[in-house]
Amino acid sequence: MQEPRDLLCEYSSDPLGIDVEKPRFSWRLEHAERGRSQKAYRLIVASERSELDPESADLWDSGKVVSEKSVNIEYDGRPLESVEKYYWKVKWWDDKGRESAFSETATFLMGPMKSDDWEASWIGDPAERPGYSSLFRKEFELEKGVETAQVYVAGIGYHELRINGEKADDRVLDPGHTEYGKRVLYSTYEVADLLEEDSNVIGVLTGNGWYGKQELFFQMTIKLTDGTEKIITSEQPWMVASGPILQNSIYDGEVYDARLEKTGWDIPGYRDKVSDEVLRDEWTRAVHVEGPGGELESQKMEPIRVNEVVKPVDVSNPEDEVYVFDLGQNITGWAEISVDGERGREINLKYGEVVDDEGRVNQDNLRSARAKDTYILSGDETEKYEPRFTYHGFRYVEVEGLPEEPEKEDLLGKFVHSGMESASDFRTSNELINQIQENTVRGTRGNLHSIPTDCPQRNERLGWLGDNTIYAEEAIYNFDMVKFYTKWLKDIRDAQDEETGAVPDTAPYRWGRKPGDPGWGSCYVLLPWFLYLYYGDTRVLERHYEGMKRWVDYMKGRSKVNLLRYTYYGDWCPPEDSCLSADESPAEDSPGAHVGAGAYPKNTPGILVSTWWYYYSAMILSEIAKILGKTDDMHEYSELADEIEKAFNDEFLNEEEGIYAEGSQTSLVLPLFLQMVPKGLEEKVVGKLVENIREEHNGHLDTGIVGTKYLLPVLSEYGREELAYNLATQKSYPSWGYMIENGATTIWERWEYKTGGGMNSHNHPMLGSISEWFHKYLAGIRPDSSAPGFKRVRIEPSFVEDLDFVSDSVETPRGPVKSIWKKNSGSIHLKVSIPVNGEAEIKLHKTDFEEGISIVEEGETIWKKESLLNRREGIIDVSEKEECVILEIGSGEYSFRINEL
Ligand code: BGC
C-alpha cells in the first residue's frame, strides 16, 4: 500500500501565509489494484518536525476517521498560532482495510491573522513625484546567524522586494489587484537564506499598479540562532528616494532612465560609497501615511510571474531605423531588449496586436492605452531592459532608437500572468480543433492577472463578471483555478452594494454599470457553484451564501410578474449584422441596452436573456441552499424558479411555431439548456434551432457570448453532435476557424476581423467557451453534482464522424481523469483512467453503434448485446438504459475495445 502523496493545505503544497483558522488538507492516493477507495484516514499535526509522531503530535491527531474524504478535510485541533510553522502527515486505509504508512511530512506557515499581530504601519514617500517609482530602504544589523525569517509585505500598487541586492523571489506585479479600500493582499516570503549575520538591507521598489499611488506595509520576523527574535517593520525609520523609473502606468507603459540608477542602494555599505550630498539631496525619511483602508489578507493564490520566454519569429524594417519584432503569437507581458549604445540614447518599444499595411504596429484598438516602454541607456556594456510595473497585450513590438540593425535574438517576449498550473492536455485528430484549443488556452493564460480580465491590451483589463460567467468553466478545465477564483469571489463580495445587494459589472469595481447586467451579476451565484462542482469546495458556498442570496433578492426586487425587465448587454457581441448599430435605438422592452458599442444583439430580446439568468440563479441558489441544509430557502428559491420559468414560457414561447421570441438561436438555446421547454415540445424547438443554423445562417452560428457558451452543448445533448461539430470546425465567417484563417493566435472579442478603435480586442477569452465543449463532449469528461469535485466522473464521449481520435486528461482534486479514444476499423478503442477514491459512469450512445455492441477488455468480453458477461476488476456494472450502454467503474486504468456487432 502506497502512502498518500501530493499533500496540500488550502490547495497549496507547503504554503506560506495561511490566515484561516481551520485550514483544509487534501491528498492523493495510488493503488496497484483497480476499483479502490479510501475507507479511513488518520492525520496528525505538530509544531515541530521532530514531534510529528502519533505519540507526540501536539496540535492534532484526528485518530482513525472512517471516511472516504481525501479532499478538504478541515483542521480540528488546538488553536493555530499566527506566524508559526506546522508539520503534518497522513495515512490511509483502503476499502479492504489495508493500512498504509504515513506520508512524507508537509508543512504550512501561518500568517499574521489578527490585527494585533501587526506591528507595522503604512509608509509613503513625502516627495510629490507622480509617475515615479519609489525605492524604500531599510538597513539593520543582526548580531547572530539567522534560523528562520519571514517577510509579510503589502507594497501597493505593486512592489518588488530585494534583500541584500537580490530579488526575494520570482514574482512580478505583486500583490494582486483588490478593492484596496476593503482588502489588501500581503505576500509572504521566507528569506533566511538572503540575510547575513551582520549588516543587511531591505529594498522595496514600488509602482502605481491599480492603486494609482505607492504605499508600503512591511513586517519581518527573524529567529536568530541564539533563540532570540527580531522584528523589522515599516513602523521603524525607512529611507526613500526616487529611482530610474520616471513613469509607470499599467496602460501606458514605463519610462526608465538607466543613468539614474542608484547603484548599490539595496546592499549594505551604500552610505559609505555615496557622498553626503547624495544622501541629503536624494534620500528622505519615509513618512507614515493613512494607507488604503482595507483589511490585510494573505495572498494565497499563485502570484504573477514570467511564465514563459517567447523568441521572435521575425524582425522587419518597415521604415528607416524602425524595427518590428513579431513574436508569432499574441501574448501578455512585455519585451526584454538587449542593446549596446551610448549614454543617453533613448529606445522606444511600442506594443500592439496587429500591424498596418506598412508593417508598422497599429495601436488603434488599444484605445487610450499608450502601451509604450522607453529605455534611456546608461552607456554601460550590453544593457538589458525589461519593464517592471506595467504590462501589455501584444504580438508585435516596434522598436525605435536602436544604434544599429538588431538581431532577432535581441528581443525576447516575456509571457506574464498568474502562475496557475495547466489542468488539462487535450488533443484530437483535427488540426483546426487543436488550434482553437491552443488559442483559447493562450488567451486565457494572458487574462489571468490576479483577477480574470476581459482583455490584456486596451484601456480596460478589468474583472468583468459577465465574461467570467461565460469563460469560468473553460478556465477551470484548462487551469487550476480554485485559489484564484476563491480570491476573486471576495473581490465580488467587496464590490457588492451593501444596501441593495446589487453586484456591479466589474470587480474590483472600476467601470461598468452598477448594478450590473443580470448576466454579469449572476456570476456571483454561478462561480461559487462551479467551485463546488469542479473542486468539491463547500466553504465558498458557505462564505458567499448571504451575498448570493442578496443578489438573487435584488433581481427579484427588480422583476415584474417574474420577468426581469432590465438589461444592458443581453447576448452581447453576436455577429455584426445581428447587432444594433451604435446609433440605433434599442427595442422598447430593452431599457438601458448598451447600444453605443455596436455589440448589442437585435434578434434576441434582452429581457429574455435577463429573465433566463434570473431563473438560472434562483435555481442554483435553491440547490446551494439544499447542500447547506437551509431547507426553507431551498423551497423558497425553487418555488421562485418555478414561477420564473412559467412567466418565461408565458411571455416568450410560441408553442405553435416551436420558438421563443423571434426564434433567434440564442432565444432557443437558453431554455433548451436549462430544460425549461415544456415536455414534448423540445424536439420541435430543437428542430427550429437546427433550421435556423442550416437555412437562415447557412450552417453558421448567430450567437453572442451567452448563446455561444450553450449552443454546442445543447446540440450535443439533443443528439445533434454532428452539427455542433460542423459549427466548431466551420472556417467561413462567423466561426473560430475564420479567426484562425485570419491569423488569430488567441480568441477575438468580435466574430469580425477589426483593427480600429472601439471594441476590437484580439484577445478576449469569452468566445473561447468552446473549449469547455471540447472537454465535456468530444472527450466527454464531466463532473457530477451528486459527488462533486469529480469524486464521481461522467464520461460520455462523442465519437463524431470526422474525428479519428480524441485524447484528454483533466486534473481533478483526486488526480488526473483521462478519456482517450481512437477509431480502428469498425471498433473504438477507449482508454479511461480514474484516480483512486473516485468512480465513473461511462455512457456510450447506441446511436453511435446501430446494431449493438460488444465491449472487450484485454481479450475478455465484458458486455455483449444485452448481457454482462464478465465483471473484471474495477468494473462494477454494465447495463443498458435509455438507448445507452452504461459502465459503472471504480478507480484505475481501463482499456476497452468497443466493437459494433
Ligand atoms: C468589455 C467586456 C464586457 C463589456 C460589457 C467591454 O468593454 O471588454 O468584455 O463584458 O464591456 O459591456
Side-chain angles (χ1 to χ4, degrees):
M1 278 270 294
Q2 294 202 28
E3 54 272 26
R5 57 179 182 87
D6 298 335
L7 272 58
L8 301 180
C9 169
E10 286 298 320
Y11 298 110
S12 291
S13 140
D14 299 335
L16 307 179
I18 292 296
D19 57 351
V20 288
E21 270 170 40
K22 290 183 182 289
R24 295 163 299 171
F25 304 102
S26 308
W27 52 88
R28 288 183 177 184
L29 301 168
E30 265 172 15
H31 209 295
E33 296 167 14
R34 299 200 304 202
R36 292 286 71 97
S37 57
Q38 174 186 288
K39 179 179 175 191
Y41 67 84
R42 180 173 184 185
L43 195 158
I44 55 176
V45 183
S47 57
E48 295 291 339
R49 194 180 281 274
S50 55
E51 301 291 293
L52 190 62
D53 212 63
E55 282 73 53
S56 52
D58 52 344
L59 267 298
W60 188 36
D61 180 351
S62 71
K64 181 174 176 180
V65 181
V66 177
S67 163
E68 281 202 347
K69 243 185 133 185
S70 54
V71 174
N72 284 336
I73 313 303
E74 245 186 31
Y75 176 78
D76 194 19
R78 285 178 36 212
L80 298 167
E81 302 283 331
S82 297
V83 200
E84 284 298 325
K85 190 172 218 163
Y86 296 103
Y87 301 82
W88 70 284
K89 59 186 182 183
V90 61
K91 58 156 61 177
W92 72 299
W93 287 260
D94 74 4
D95 52 325
K96 296 228 160 120
R98 290 169 291 197
E99 180 178 352
S100 81
F102 270 107
S103 65
E104 305 231 315
T105 299
T107 64
F108 58 100
L109 173 75
M110 300 299 286
M113 288 198 288
K114 310 178 289 297
S115 49
D116 42 325
D117 292 328
W118 293 113
E119 292 182 28
S121 53
W122 287 96
I123 54 173
D125 184 346
E128 289 281 318
R129 293 187 265 243
Y132 273 73
S133 150
S134 299
L135 312 178
F136 290 87
R137 178 175 205 278
K138 171 82 189 157
E139 189 156 353
F140 61 96
E141 305 284 318
L142 292 176
E143 295 74 33
K144 286 278 169 316
V146 176
E147 183 105 0
T148 62
Q150 287 99 24
V151 168
Y152 306 95
V153 57
I156 51 173
Y158 291 137
H159 77 271
E160 177 179 312
L161 172 66
R162 305 181 70 81
I163 298 184
N164 294 330
E166 277 186 54
K167 200 166 168 322
D169 76 1
D170 60 355
R171 65 186 69 201
V172 297
L173 304 179
D174 201 56
H177 184 184
T178 52
E179 293 271 350
Y180 300 101
K182 296 250 173 87
R183 189 179 311 276
V184 181
L185 300 180
Y186 67 83
S187 305
T188 308
Y189 301 75
E190 286 214 294
V191 296
D193 291 351
L194 298 175
L195 293 174
E196 302 288 338
E197 173 180 347
D198 220 331
S199 306
N200 291 278
V201 171
I202 307 291
V204 182
L205 283 91
T206 51
N208 292 332
W210 293 105
Y211 184 49
K213 52 184 178 170
Q214 300 165 39
E215 288 171 348
L216 174 66
F217 186 94
F218 180 95
Q219 183 159 316
M220 173 158 66
T221 331
I222 308 167
K223 274 190 197 140
L224 297 168
T225 43
D226 65 356
T228 56
E229 284 198 9
K230 186 155 182 139
I231 182 156
I232 305 291
T233 76
S234 48
E235 172 66 21
Q236 302 154 359
W238 284 58
M239 299 303 286
V240 63
S242 64
I245 298 176
L246 309 185
Q247 281 298 332
N248 77 95
S249 135
I250 291 177
Y251 294 152
D252 295 339
E254 191 171 287
V255 177
Y256 188 102
D257 188 341
R259 294 170 302 182
L260 303 178
E261 279 171 3
K262 290 187 163 49
T263 313
W265 72 281
D266 53 356
I267 51 175
Y270 175 70
R271 277 195 236 171
D272 305 331
K273 280 196 206 106
V274 290
S275 64
D276 288 348
E277 288 84 70
V278 166
L279 285 180
R280 195 187 55 228
D281 299 345
E282 298 184 3
W283 290 87
T284 45
R285 271 286 272 276
V287 291
H288 287 141
V289 293
E290 215 181 288
E295 73 182 71
L296 285 159
E297 179 175 319
S298 169
Q299 173 166 291
K300 294 178 284 297
M301 66 176 171
E302 300 78 353
I304 299 177
R305 296 197 184 93
V306 175
N307 291 284
E308 192 187 332
V309 176
V310 180
K311 291 191 181 147
V313 293
D314 188 33
V315 54
S316 62
N317 185 201
E319 214 169 286
D320 248 12
E321 296 183 16
V322 175
Y323 298 93
V324 175
F325 291 81
D326 176 5
L327 295 182
Q329 50 178 298
N330 196 359
I331 68 164
T332 300
W334 52 71
E336 179 194 86
I337 183 115
S338 304
V339 56
D340 273 299
E342 75 285 4
R343 189 171 175 83
R345 175 178 275 276
E346 183 178 311
I347 315 280
N348 286 301
L349 297 99
K350 209 170 122 186
Y351 297 80
E353 294 184 300
V354 283
V355 286
D356 63 18
D357 294 344
E358 274 76 55
R360 302 282 306 256
V361 160
N362 171 0
Q363 290 193 325
D364 291 348
N365 69 332
L366 311 189
R367 306 199 301 221
S368 69
R370 282 208 295 276
K372 180 177 151 190
D373 296 329
T374 301
Y375 180 69
I376 301 166
L377 272 66
S378 67
D380 289 350
E381 249 172 81
T382 309
E383 294 173 54
K384 274 189 198 299
Y385 165 71
E386 59 185 299
R388 268 193 183 84
F389 297 130
T390 185
Y391 76 93
H392 315 288
F394 66 104
R395 168 175 170 166
Y396 301 95
V397 191
E398 180 173 298
V399 186
E400 267 187 276
L402 290 171
E404 56 187 46
E405 186 173 343
E407 304 282 337
K408 225 167 44 189
E409 300 70 44
D410 291 343
L411 184 137
L412 292 173
K414 301 278 178 94
F415 202 158
V416 178
H417 53 86
S418 293
M420 268 79 76
E421 297 279 339
S422 142
S424 57
D425 181 12
F426 176 87
R427 271 166 299 127
T428 72
S429 51
N430 181 301
E431 270 319 308
L432 177 57
I433 298 259
N434 296 347
Q435 192 62 51
I436 299 171
Q437 170 68 7
E438 190 182 314
N439 287 11
T440 305
V441 167
R442 180 180 296 116
T444 304
R445 274 173 78 186
N447 277 287
L448 303 175
H449 260 253
S450 83
I451 59 167
T453 61
D454 55 335
C455 57
Q457 73 295 78
R458 68 179 179 218
N459 56 340
E460 277 197 69
R461 318 185 199 181
L462 305 179
W464 283 93
L465 272 68
D467 302 48
N468 275 272
T469 317
I470 302 303
Y471 82 71
E473 285 185 274
E474 171 269 303
I476 287 171
Y477 268 105
N478 291 318
F479 299 93
D480 180 3
M481 295 294 294
V482 67
K483 285 180 280 179
F484 184 91
Y485 273 145
T486 300
K487 178 266 178 189
W488 190 54
L489 275 171
K490 293 187 184 169
D491 297 332
I492 299 180
R493 188 179 56 202
D494 288 344
Q496 184 174 32
D497 190 291
E498 279 167 25
E499 266 167 44
T500 63
V503 174
D505 275 347
T506 58
Y509 180 70
R510 299 209 150 248
W511 273 23
R513 311 284 182 129
K514 231 179 172 181
D517 178 272
W520 273 236
S522 291
C523 185
Y524 194 29
V525 177
L526 290 177
L527 191 53
W529 173 248
F530 294 149
L531 297 190
Y532 172 75
L533 191 61
Y534 289 92
Y535 301 102
D537 195 310
T538 43
R539 189 174 276 181
V540 283
L541 301 183
E542 288 157 14
R543 297 280 152 97
H544 294 280
Y545 184 74
E546 281 309 313
M548 297 184 236
K549 193 171 147 177
R550 296 181 67 224
W551 165 246
V552 174
D553 291 347
Y554 173 81
M555 289 194 283
K556 188 174 173 192
R558 298 241 1 214
S559 67
K560 291 195 187 84
V561 230
N562 296 308
L563 294 175
L564 190 50
R565 292 201 170 274
Y566 90 93
T567 177
Y568 301 131
Y569 316 118
D571 183 28
W572 193 236
C573 283
E576 205 167 23
D577 277 352
S578 297
C579 293
L580 288 176
S581 66
D583 47 18
E584 268 173 295
S585 6
E588 259 169 45
D589 68 351
S590 296
H594 181 63
V595 291
Y600 186 81
K602 67 177 171 204
N603 303 327
T604 305
I607 301 307
L608 178 148
V609 181
S610 289
T611 304
W612 184 81
W613 286 120
Y614 176 35
Y615 170 71
Y616 197 179
S617 297
M619 193 179 87
I620 294 293
L621 185 63
S622 157
E623 203 51 41
I624 294 172
K626 181 166 144 202
I627 292 158
L628 299 181
K630 298 176 189 293
T631 320
D632 291 348
D633 281 7
M634 171 186 100
H635 291 305
E636 186 185 329
Y637 291 101
S638 118
E639 277 158 28
L640 176 64
D642 289 347
E643 284 163 18
I644 306 170
E645 180 180 17
K646 183 170 180 307
F648 184 95
N649 282 331
D650 287 350
E651 179 77 11
F652 299 112
L653 174 62
N654 176 337
E655 284 203 33
E656 214 162 293
E657 298 265 327
I659 58 169
Y660 282 78
E662 300 303 312
S664 74
Q665 292 177 15
T666 299
S667 305
L668 308 184
V669 161
L670 297 185
L672 282 167
F673 180 77
L674 291 182
Q675 295 166 13
M676 300 163 84
V677 181
K679 288 267 155 302
L681 209 66
E682 296 105 317
E683 265 308 308
K684 196 165 174 183
V685 178
V686 175
K688 287 287 175 179
L689 174 62
V690 171
E691 198 180 295
N692 182 308
I693 297 168
R694 290 223 170 101
E695 284 157 34
E696 284 175 46
H697 293 94
N698 191 22
H700 292 85
L701 50 75
D702 184 39
T703 43
I705 61 168
V706 182
T708 302
K709 174 172 159 85
Y710 303 104
L711 175 62
L712 273 56
V714 159
L715 290 170
S716 291
E717 284 297 332
Y718 286 94
R720 310 303 203 278
E721 60 267 20
E722 294 296 337
L723 180 57
Y725 182 80
N726 289 345
L727 291 176
T729 50
Q730 184 63 267
K731 288 188 180 157
S732 51
Y733 170 81
S735 65
W736 294 272
Y738 173 80
M739 296 184 193
I740 288 168
E741 296 277 298
N742 283 279
T745 59
T746 40
I747 302 288
W748 298 341
E749 178 174 27
R750 312 297 299 260
W751 292 108
E752 297 77 31
Y753 179 72
K754 285 172 157 238
T755 57
M759 276 191 22
N760 302 316
S761 147
H762 286 229
N763 187 359
H764 238 73
M766 56 200 193
L767 291 174
S769 59
I770 187 173
S771 162
E772 177 194 331
W773 178 80
F774 294 163
H775 292 288
K776 272 191 184 165
Y777 290 89
L778 292 184
I781 299 179
R782 298 176 213 172
D784 184 329
S785 60
S786 72
F790 290 98
K791 166 90 175 110
R792 185 171 169 81
V793 186
R794 288 167 53 213
I795 307 251
E796 196 174 336
S798 293
F799 306 118
V800 286
E801 229 177 281
D802 183 57
L803 286 179
D804 294 328
F805 80 85
V806 170
S807 167
D808 198 9
S809 170
V810 174
E811 282 301 322
T812 75
R814 284 163 196 76
V817 168
K818 293 185 187 161
S819 163
I820 301 168
W821 61 263
K822 194 170 184 335
K823 291 181 187 159
N824 195 344
S825 46
S827 69
I828 289 172
H829 186 192
L830 173 66
K831 284 204 219 166
V832 170
S833 177
I834 304 297
V836 176
N837 211 20
E839 58 187 38
E841 173 192 283
I842 305 175
K843 210 170 185 182
L844 304 168
H845 289 260
K846 282 179 72 183
T847 40
D848 290 331
F849 317 91
E850 270 154 26
E851 301 298 321
I853 52 171
S854 70
I855 304 175
V856 179
E857 205 202 10
E858 283 168 38
E860 288 184 42
T861 305
I862 55 172
W863 169 264
K864 196 169 190 180
K865 267 263 154 92
E866 277 152 30
S867 49
L868 171 62
L869 302 174
N870 189 339
R871 195 177 264 128
R872 289 169 54 82
E873 185 185 66
I875 297 174
I876 301 162
D877 197 18
V878 187
S879 62
E880 218 175 281
K881 227 188 280 160
E882 294 163 9
E883 298 297 292
C884 291
V885 174
I886 294 175
L887 288 91
E888 286 283 341
I889 59 169
S891 67
E893 293 190 4
Y894 300 81
S895 177
F896 303 113
R897 193 161 291 282
I898 307 160
N899 301 309
E900 186 147 14
L901 295 176

